[in-house]
Amino acid sequence: MDIAPESIKDLFSGGGGTLGERMGLQITEASPERIVGTMPVEGNTQPYGLLHGGASCVLAETLGSVGAVLHGQTVDRPFAVGVDINATHHKGARSGVVTGVATPVHRGRTMATYEVVITDDAGERVCTARITCLLRGA
C-alpha cells in the first residue's frame, strides 16, 4: 500500500506535523537514503539561551520518521512509529539555524533506524541522534 501523494506532501509542509510547525522545522530534502531539515534556534531554547535538547530530539525524530515512512513504502509498510530515540549533545547553539541530516543505519521490513547529525550555521556538530521506527502496514 502506498501513501497518497498528498499525504507525503503533508509530511514535508509544516515541518512534518503540528509540533514541527510550531518549532519552525522545515524539511528541505527527502528520500529513503537522506532526509535534510532545518530549525531555528530562536524560540527553541532552554532557560540558559541554548538550543533545548528536546528540540534537537524533535528535529531528529521528525527527519528519521520521514525516512522510515519513505522506506516503509518500499516494503508495503508505510506507517512508521518511533520506538527508540537517543541523542548526544556535543555543543550548544545560541542563535541561527540548525540543520539535521538523517541517513539510514538499518532499513528492514519491520524496523528502520536512522542516524541524525545536527550542525550549527558554522557546520559544527551540535548533536548526534539515533531513531528507530517500527514499520506498520495498513
Side-chain angles (χ1 to χ4, degrees):
M1 173 193 168
D2 286 337
I3 293 180
E6 60 274 4
S7 295
I8 293 172
K9 185 178 179 199
D10 288 344
L11 288 173
F12 308 129
S13 64
T18 305
L19 180 58
E21 183 177 330
R22 273 191 231 156
M23 296 178 73
L25 198 154
Q26 293 293 315
I27 297 171
T28 59
E29 178 185 334
S31 73
E33 294 79 29
R34 179 178 158 94
I35 308 87
V36 179
T38 61
M39 182 179 66
V41 173
E42 184 177 344
N44 294 312
T45 59
Q46 38 89 313
Y48 301 115
L50 298 170
L51 177 67
H52 195 291
S56 294
C57 288
V58 169
L59 176 58
E61 183 153 359
T62 300
L63 300 178
S65 294
V66 168
V69 165
L70 294 173
H71 165 67
Q73 290 182 10
T74 69
V75 294
D76 199 31
R77 293 176 176 262
F79 300 102
V81 179
V83 295
D84 182 65
I85 186 165
N86 66 66
T88 301
H89 307 287
H90 307 290
K91 175 185 175 201
R94 292 188 177 275
S95 63
V97 173
V98 291
T99 301
V101 178
T103 54
V105 174
H106 170 78
R107 290 182 293 171
R109 180 157 170 71
T110 60
M111 294 192 103
T113 300
Y114 282 79
E115 178 183 61
V116 184
V117 174
I118 300 172
T119 56
D120 62 15
D121 286 330
E124 295 185 23
R125 191 178 293 225
V126 173
C127 176
T128 304
R130 188 188 73 220
I131 173 160
T132 298
C133 292
L134 177 66
L135 302 176
R136 304 289 308 250

